[in-house]
Structure formats: structure tokens, C-alpha cells
Amino acid sequence: MPIQDQTTARLSEALTAFCLNYATPPLLDASHVRLGFDNQNTLPSDGNDFCVVTQISQRRVGTNIERWDRQGEEVLELREYVEMSVQLDCYSTNLFDAQRRAQTYETVCRSSVGVEHFAEYDIDCLYSEDCQNLSGVVDAAQYVSRWMVMLTLGYWKRVAVPEDFFSAADLNIVNVDVQFKPEG
């Protein structure tokens, strides 16, 4: 069995669902939520209303925890608690829609609703920073509204490593002095 990282896909899934579920005004579908640093993706063709989710940093909190599962597969599970900063960039051609989305994400993250959403994915919603206006001129020489909010999430990174175990031993007990007589 190869080494398996059991956390990355759940993070992307949780963040995409968060952006879709709590966007105000609503985003059309999952194609309007983009993962930052994802190559060869084009922006939605129906306009500039979309969100970009970018994992900015992460830091370890504490030391590793090792857990052996003696039932089923022979696996050693390594865990470390990680705090991760995630930047949500909300874009819109409407000057106020991006701002409203960012403010809604901030409000939801600072409530039990945000905590419950991320808890479904085994992620802790720790806190949210204030929204920032990053609007600017783009290629078409027109302003595109861009508002950003930074979320801090926590999760247990879990890595499964194959480990050989045994559950029984066949012992042959002998008297050492009789079996291996001392010389002398």
C-alpha cells in the first residue's frame, strides 16, 4: 500500500462548497469558483462574477501524533494539526456584488454557521479577517471590482503509511544453560 495523503481533496471540496453555498448574490455554479494557482483554466465566459480560492500559507501547531490501527490493514497514521490561511477573492463587473460576497463570507465565517459548514469536512473554522478592496483596471481598461477576505482554518493533516505488524508469535522456550552449555 502506498503512502496516502487523506486531506487535500476535502479542503478543496469544503472551500468550493462554502463559496457556492454562501455567495450573496449567488454564483451560477461550481465553474465560478476557481482554485488559485490552478494552471490552464479559463475564467467563466459569462462575465467577471467569480471567486478565486487561494491557499496562502500554512503552519504546523504542535508535534506529530502517531496512531497504529491494529484492525484491518497494517497502517501507521501520522497526524499533525495545521493552521491554514485562505484568501477568497471575489470579482464582479458590478462594483457592489464583489463587496457583498466578501462581506457575506466574512460574516458567515464569524458565526456558528461557518463553523458547522467546515465541521462537516473535519475542518475548524478559526477566524476571518476584515474585507479589503483590491479593485483595479484590467486588460479592457475598465475597473473590475475585487474584494478579498482572508480565512484561517485548522485541520488535522493525516498521512497513512504502511507498517508491518504481527499479532502472534510462535515461541520455543529453552533453557539457555542446557541448550548452549557455557564453555569452561
Side-chain angles (χ1 to χ4, degrees):
M1 175 183 147
I3 295 173
Q4 295 179 346
D5 179 349
Q6 303 170 329
T7 51
T8 307
R10 301 269 306 160
L11 287 168
S12 297
E13 184 182 340
L15 287 162
T16 300
F18 178 79
C19 288
L20 281 175
N21 293 345
Y22 302 107
T24 305
L27 294 169
L28 293 178
D29 55 31
S31 71
H32 289 77
V33 178
R34 300 291 192 196
L35 299 178
F37 307 121
D38 201 3
N39 289 324
Q40 299 179 353
N41 273 332
T42 59
L43 298 177
S45 60
D46 58 358
N48 283 325
D49 278 52
F50 62 93
C51 289
V52 177
V53 177
T54 309
Q55 296 180 24
I56 298 297
S57 67
Q58 64 181 34
R59 71 179 188 95
R60 165 195 295 268
V61 178
T63 59
N64 283 2
I65 295 174
E66 296 181 359
R67 199 173 95 199
W68 290 269
D69 183 9
R70 297 182 190 269
Q71 307 296 322
E73 293 188 46
E74 296 177 340
V75 172
L76 168 63
E77 184 181 76
L78 305 174
R79 290 182 174 207
E80 72 170 312
Y81 194 76
V82 176
E83 280 187 7
M84 176 178 63
S85 295
V86 177
Q87 180 174 319
L88 300 182
D89 287 298
C90 303
Y91 291 86
S92 181
T93 50
N94 179 315
L95 295 178
F96 300 104
D97 286 352
Q99 178 186 13
R100 287 181 18 206
R101 281 190 190 105
Q103 285 176 326
T104 301
Y105 294 149
E106 174 193 357
T107 301
V108 171
C109 270
R110 293 180 178 194
S111 73
S112 61
V113 175
V115 171
E116 290 169 8
H117 169 82
F118 285 106
E120 292 178 23
Y121 298 89
D122 296 325
I123 298 170
D124 301 324
C125 183
L126 301 175
Y127 58 91
S128 170
E129 294 180 13
D130 295 332
C131 298
Q132 296 179 22
N133 184 356
L134 303 174
S135 298
V137 178
V138 292
D139 296 343
Q142 295 185 12
Y143 272 100
V144 171
S145 183
R146 172 184 173 200
W147 281 76
M148 183 271 295
V149 62
M150 190 77 70
L151 312 180
T152 301
L153 306 174
Y155 66 94
W156 284 98
K157 178 172 179 56
R158 296 184 352 239
V159 178
V161 179
E163 185 77 20
D164 293 329
F165 293 99
F166 65 90
S167 58
D170 186 18
L171 302 176
N172 182 14
I173 300 174
V174 296
N175 186 334
V176 175
D177 290 334
V178 173
Q179 184 75 22
F180 305 99
K181 295 184 181 186
E183 292 181 21

